[in-house]
Amino acid sequence: MSTFLYRLGKSAYTKPWYFIISWIAILGVVLAILGVNGIHVTSDMKIEGTESQKVLDQLSAELPEASGGQASIVFTAPKDERLDTPERLSAITKAVNDVYNLEYVINAAELAAKAGASAAENAQGSAPQQGDGTAQATTGELPPFGPLMVNGVPVPGVMLASDGSVALFQFQFTVQQMSLPESVPDSVIDAAMSVEQTGIQALPSDSLSTKPSIGSTEAIGIAVAAVVLFMTLGSVVAAGLPLLTALMGVGISVGGAYAFSKFIHMTDLTPVLALMVGLAVGIDYSLFIVNRQRRMILDQGLSAREAASRAVGTAGSAVFFAGLTVIIALCGMLVIGIGFLSAMALVAALAVLVNVLVALTLLPALLGLLGERICSAKARTKSSTQTNKTAQGFAHRWVTAVAKGRWLVIIAVIVILGAAALPVAKMEMGIPSGATANLDTPSRQSYDAISNGFGEGFNGPLLLVAKPNGASDKVTPELLNGLVQDLGKHQNVSLVTPMGVNKTGDMAIISLIPKTGPTDAETKNLVREIRASDSSMALTYDVTVGVTGFTAINIDMSSKLAEVFPLYVGIIVILSLIILLLVFRSIIVPLKATVGFLLSVLATFGITTAVYQWGWLHSLFGFDTGGPLLSFMPIMVTGILYGLAMDYQVFLVSSMRESYVHGHHGTESVVHGYNQASRVVVAAAVIMVSVFAGFIFAHDIMIKQIGFALAIGILIDAFFVRMALVPAVMAVFGDKAWWLPKWLDRMLPNLDVEGDKLLAELKSQESAANIKAKPRRAY
């Protein structure tokens, strides 16, 4: 591998324009396809096989008009004023009618008219029944709201709080949100905003909010990365190369993901995640290669051409296997079998692959254009004056102290990370809703207005589907009324509304409003109780009741992801042991690396739980209210962190192994290897933390959580595990850390990550050239 990459690097350096033009052409093709196909992403994250998805699929097949997505608009009056004045009632009615007249929106008024025209037929139970858009109370208590009345007639789909200060307009689309054109939610909001001329405020629900976007705050991470690159590489020119190649890599990979989004189900978070990972690894991988080239020029006196070729052959080998590790970790998510997660994993893996290829081909081509200018005269002069000096900088003092106090360091790291991991025991997962949005956003204001005026449960209605268990049984009016009455008696049910029966008469649709919010544990328990096949209601009426709707889908998604998370961690651990065994040809190193990774992951989720669920330091990180963690975040972050942690493991420990192979033994090999690699690993970690941290201040809470978890995870893994725990454990084992049974040594392929074979071949060629050039003596 190292020999092949050496030749590839030399070819790219010698003929740079072939490679540069090729990559520009690839970018041009991606942009052309993107221009033709457009961008097609969705906010819906469905998991096939869950109970709620099965019910939704059944509704789509048998009663399509009941399977569409739900949304709402809240109308609020100024303080101490009412909405039910003639002018405001007229404005609200017009806005409601404008929304109903939009394409893809079900018109509740038309449904009510149809239901009235077929009332006689409905009474016989032979035709579909539809609600008129007004909720029906099922308890003896008078609810603190009622239908919005205009001239004695209720406005379909609209309820008014008893104090007249807030009205809730709930409506339904003909399809799920994922299938809606992007213009539909915008048209709904525009229609609703027409009421504001009368002093009313219109607040769209979270389901109508705009998709996550990339804002200006992410540029802060790139700016910090540029500063770190300049400090590490010592020149603006050298520092600019990793940034340029990383931008090319994410441009192609993220642009490619958008270009083909028409043909795959891709969530709006997928390209953002690919951008995060692509920027981080793209900058780091190029940094490793450029730094190695400069070291060879300054320390060994090689030409820029030979140094670049060798850097691609040696550091490039480590980049290749580090990138392969990230890709394998991400692709491991495919075994979980969750569609939207698989798409996220594949797109992120594509971003890593493209950045690896860019680092191994485009980067040496750009180095070829720079030539000897990659190292300034000042840097060469400074290096020559320090040739015979022993490095006694901070890194040397740190690793020496760690090696001496190795047991204390090991215990301290375990205690600190163990304490940080404690909140994991209380971690709750879900999909962030309007309840966790910032207070100044329409989504949060809508959520609070609904909660105050009608009850928190109105933010998360449930859709129930009841089917008699007998193959020939029908849903009679008595059966439907009995189900509605029994459901209404549950202590956590606010309202129950019968929505209708399908044409064949064997399936009833019921809308249910819980008393508790969409992410509350009580709502999850309610869904579980309604679904139970042995519940008193199911046994009394001999029916099977399914539950779907946005709230139920999110509950099922969180449950499914929590169920498969241990499986994925197991896959990651096994992968870790196998890959590191192949790379380092050691038993101790893979075990130590895997244990360190598990420590860092647990600590990461512990801190993330404390911040985003418990609300610690919330104002510092730009959010107002804590809530459940994003349900797929632990799986996604674990995969990415594993790959990135192994990057640092490969670069740091391979340097220690290289020192061991070249004659340094015991603690000396640890100290020497650490000195050689720690500076660039620290710089790479700071860059990654900066890039990920830039996403913490995005507007979307999901992007915030992912960015924070990745940033804090890299910080913990790089500085606590790799910079402290790794050298301490390596110092404990000394040369025994590289022990491998002989039978296993014979079985394993030699990947030559450190480039030993390449260096031996180059040395042999140099010796042969010297012998050939030596003049013969005349006799």
Side-chain angles (χ1 to χ4, degrees), residues 59 62 159 179 213 233 253 286 306 317 330 339 345 349 392-393 426 438 502 553 562 578 605 714 744 747:
L59 279 174
E62 299 188 30
M159 291 181 297
S179 303
S213 59
L233 299 176
S253 55
S286 294
E306 182 63 21
S317 294
L330 289 169
Q392 296 291 337
K426 301 292 185 180
N438 279 353
N502 66 343
I553 290 172
I578 294 174
F605 293 145
I714 293 297
L744 186 57
M747 289 177 58

Side-chain angles (χ1 to χ4, degrees), residues 481-500:
N481 290 333
L483 290 174
V484 169
Q485 292 298 322
D486 277 16
L487 288 167
K489 293 175 183 177
H490 194 286
Q491 61 180 1
N492 194 33
V493 171
S494 178
L495 292 177
V496 184
T497 306
M499 300 297 292

Side-chain angles (χ1 to χ4, degrees), residues 132 144 147 188 196 315 323 425 474 483 500 521 530 559 611 759:
D132 64 357
V188 170
E196 295 193 344
K474 302 295 182 181
L483 290 174
I530 293 174
S559 176
V611 172
L759 296 178

Side-chain angles (χ1 to χ4, degrees), residues 319-406:
V319 164
F320 177 82
F321 287 108
L324 182 63
T325 303
V326 181
I327 292 171
I328 292 174
L330 289 169
C331 291
M333 296 183 197
L334 300 182
V335 304
I336 297 173
I338 298 174
F340 80 88
L341 262 186
S342 297
M344 293 179 78
L346 288 174
V347 173
L350 173 66
V352 175
L353 175 61
V354 170
N355 277 285
V356 168
L357 296 178
V358 165
L360 297 178
T361 57
L362 179 61
L363 178 62
L366 295 174
L367 290 172
L369 291 183
L370 287 177
E372 298 295 338
R373 287 174 295 171
I374 190 66
C375 289
S376 64
K378 181 180 179 182
R380 295 172 190 268
T381 302
K382 182 179 179 181
S383 175
S384 63
T385 60
Q386 295 180 344
T387 301
N388 297 320
K389 294 183 180 179
T390 303
Q392 296 291 337
F394 175 79
H396 179 82
R397 294 193 299 271
W398 169 260
V399 71
T400 302
V402 168
K404 288 181 179 179
R406 45 189 174 269

Side-chain angles (χ1 to χ4, degrees), residues 541-553:
Y541 299 100
D542 192 25
V543 295
T544 299
V545 182
V547 185
T548 188
F550 187 72
T551 298
I553 290 172

Side-chain angles (χ1 to χ4, degrees), residues 619-637:
S619 58
L620 179 64
F621 296 108
F623 68 99
D624 297 326
T625 306
L629 300 185
L630 185 61
S631 55
F632 61 85
M633 188 267 289
I635 287 180
M636 183 60 67
V637 168

